[in-house]
Amino acid sequence: DMPPRGAYAQAQSLLQQLGALDDRGKITAYGRQLVATGLQPRLAHILVKGTAMGRGAEASCLAALLSNKDIIRLPAANEDADIRLRLAIIQQASAGKPLAGDYPVDKWRVQQVCHEAAHIRSTLGIQGNFSFDINKCGSLLALAYPDRIGQNKGQGRFLLSNGRRAFIGESQLLAKEPFIVAADLADSGVESRIFLAAPVTEAELRQNLAEQIEETEEVSWDKQLQAVRAIRYQRLGALVLKEEVIVPEDPEKVLSAMLQGIRSEGLGLLPWTKSSRLLQDRMAFMHELDPTWPDVSEANLLATLDSWLAPHLYGIRNAQQLQQLSLDKILLAML
């Protein structure tokens, strides 16, 4: 049976993000590499990319860990979603050390993860063992979960790069991290609960996901400043990594923002004088006698700003500069 269209489209989008599919939805040479690992795409991506970065041992451990059920038994697993805790346990087990910690550990599953990680390394010819810096694991996870990178919004709430919102227990250390990567969550409801995650730094995101960071410029009317405001954003999906106020350069964007401001504020933003209001009244009177005369009613003037006012707004960026306009001349230009 064909899967639901939404789920199918989401899967295609993810595979394109991972580089496994091209823009036409066809498998790429890199996609075939992922297939050859025998792992699901996200974990295969961790493995292939991690190996290329010289972090194959760490990647194999993460792939094995995420391929299995949690090694910490419930309900304790819900109290700490930090993947680094799990990696520390795996490192202890691989070194033959007693499993220390405050959480109930599934020892059989720990041995299973160690065995699978060793099998992956042996099959793919990856050198190294379980000795690696567990604090860097978030940078590898971000490669496989680019849609689940979370930006801290306070009180354990995170905005994910796919636009959804997720939360974690506010008492957890991860709740204080500026950025995390959610490897396991309940993807339902308004907010998803995060079960497994790791911290990642902005520097790591910029280094490893540079091709996914987009720079955009937004020019809009600022109601409080009564002026056109331009902001340059650096975004990773729905996340804003950086924003800075800039001087708008595109005259068409500035014009569009000025018109937006006048539409939202109303014609009262313009420098009406007694003379210009009398002229408007006389033109309105003539329009009643002869409809071929311009319609200068408030409603029509607002609706037709692009035609009668826009040509006079080039170079104007705020309400104060609008006062330089002569509405008498502009209205007469409509005749």
Side-chain angles (χ1 to χ4, degrees):
D1 295 335
M2 280 295 292
R5 287 186 179 181
Y8 189 71
Q10 189 176 13
Q12 280 188 311
S13 176
L14 173 63
L15 291 173
Q16 287 172 338
Q17 270 189 292
L18 300 182
L21 294 182
D22 61 23
D23 293 338
R24 298 173 299 167
K26 302 295 183 182
I27 191 169
T28 62
Y30 181 72
R32 297 188 189 282
Q33 274 187 273
L34 300 189
V35 172
T37 67
L39 295 169
Q40 60 110 319
R42 289 188 191 271
L43 303 185
H45 188 58
I46 284 183
L47 202 55
V48 175
K49 285 290 187 182
T51 302
M53 296 164 63
R55 299 169 64 183
E58 179 185 355
S60 64
C61 187
L62 277 171
L65 186 67
L66 296 172
S67 296
N68 285 273
K69 291 184 178 179
D70 199 348
I71 61 175
I72 296 178
R73 297 192 185 98
L74 292 171
N78 290 337
E79 297 173 6
D80 198 329
D82 201 327
I83 287 180
R84 294 174 299 177
L85 171 64
R86 279 81 175 167
L87 290 175
I89 292 171
I90 297 300
Q91 287 182 333
Q92 289 174 356
S94 66
K97 297 178 181 179
L99 300 181
D102 300 327
Y103 296 102
V105 176
D106 188 326
K107 295 182 180 179
W108 179 87
R109 204 169 296 284
V110 168
Q111 294 303 318
Q112 183 75 8
V113 170
C114 290
H115 174 76
E116 285 191 23
H119 176 71
I120 290 171
R121 291 200 303 275
S122 174
T123 302
L124 300 180
I126 297 173
Q127 301 298 315
N129 51 31
F130 292 96
S131 299
F132 54 82
D133 185 357
I134 61 176
N135 292 310
K136 299 292 185 181
C137 67
S139 60
L140 280 184
L141 286 175
L143 295 172
Y145 298 90
D147 53 328
R148 295 187 189 171
I149 297 167
Q151 188 173 37
N152 201 326
K153 295 301 179 182
Q155 299 182 320
R157 262 60 189 175
F158 289 85
L159 173 64
L160 302 183
S161 49
N162 62 11
R164 293 186 60 82
R165 294 191 174 273
F167 72 95
I168 201 168
E170 195 175 351
S171 61
Q172 297 188 36
L173 289 177
L174 286 177
K176 299 176 177 62
E177 294 287 345
F179 293 93
I180 64 169
V181 184
D184 186 23
L185 46 73
D187 197 9
S188 60
V190 177
E191 280 189 318
S192 302
R193 179 168 185 169
I194 299 172
F195 297 119
L196 280 178
V200 62
T201 67
E202 183 178 333
E204 288 170 334
L205 294 176
R206 289 185 178 279
Q207 179 180 353
N208 298 326
L209 298 175
E211 71 283 354
Q212 296 187 37
I213 296 175
E214 296 182 341
E215 191 169 279
T216 59
E217 181 181 310
E218 292 185 7
V219 182
S220 61
W221 176 258
D222 188 306
K223 184 177 179 66
Q224 186 174 359
L225 295 176
Q226 294 282 282
V228 172
R229 190 167 184 244
I231 303 178
R232 181 180 291 131
Y233 293 97
Q234 288 182 352
R235 285 190 172 98
L236 178 60
L239 311 183
V240 176
L241 301 182
K242 182 181 179 181
E243 64 177 89
E244 59 178 335
V245 177
I246 60 173
V247 176
E249 297 180 354
D250 188 331
E252 295 302 327
K253 288 184 177 179
V254 174
L255 173 62
S256 178
M258 280 302 303
L259 291 173
Q260 170 197 347
I262 295 169
R263 288 190 187 99
S264 62
E265 304 283 347
L267 293 179
L269 198 63
L270 300 177
W272 293 98
T273 63
K274 183 177 180 180
S275 172
S276 56
R277 283 298 189 188
L278 287 173
L279 176 58
Q280 181 189 21
D281 288 342
R282 292 200 299 275
M283 290 173 66
F285 174 73
M286 292 304 297
H287 176 73
E288 286 186 18
L289 297 178
D290 181 356
T292 61
W293 281 67
D295 180 358
V296 290
S297 64
E298 298 281 318
N300 191 63
L301 286 178
L302 271 176
T304 58
L305 286 175
D306 290 359
S307 62
W308 69 273
L309 183 61
H312 305 276
L313 293 182
Y314 285 100
I316 293 178
R317 297 181 177 179
N318 55 54
Q320 186 176 358
Q321 291 176 334
L322 279 176
Q323 305 309 307
Q324 303 169 8
L325 297 177
S326 169
L327 286 182
D328 292 73
K329 292 181 179 179
I330 294 173
L331 290 174
L332 285 172
M334 298 175 67
L335 298 178

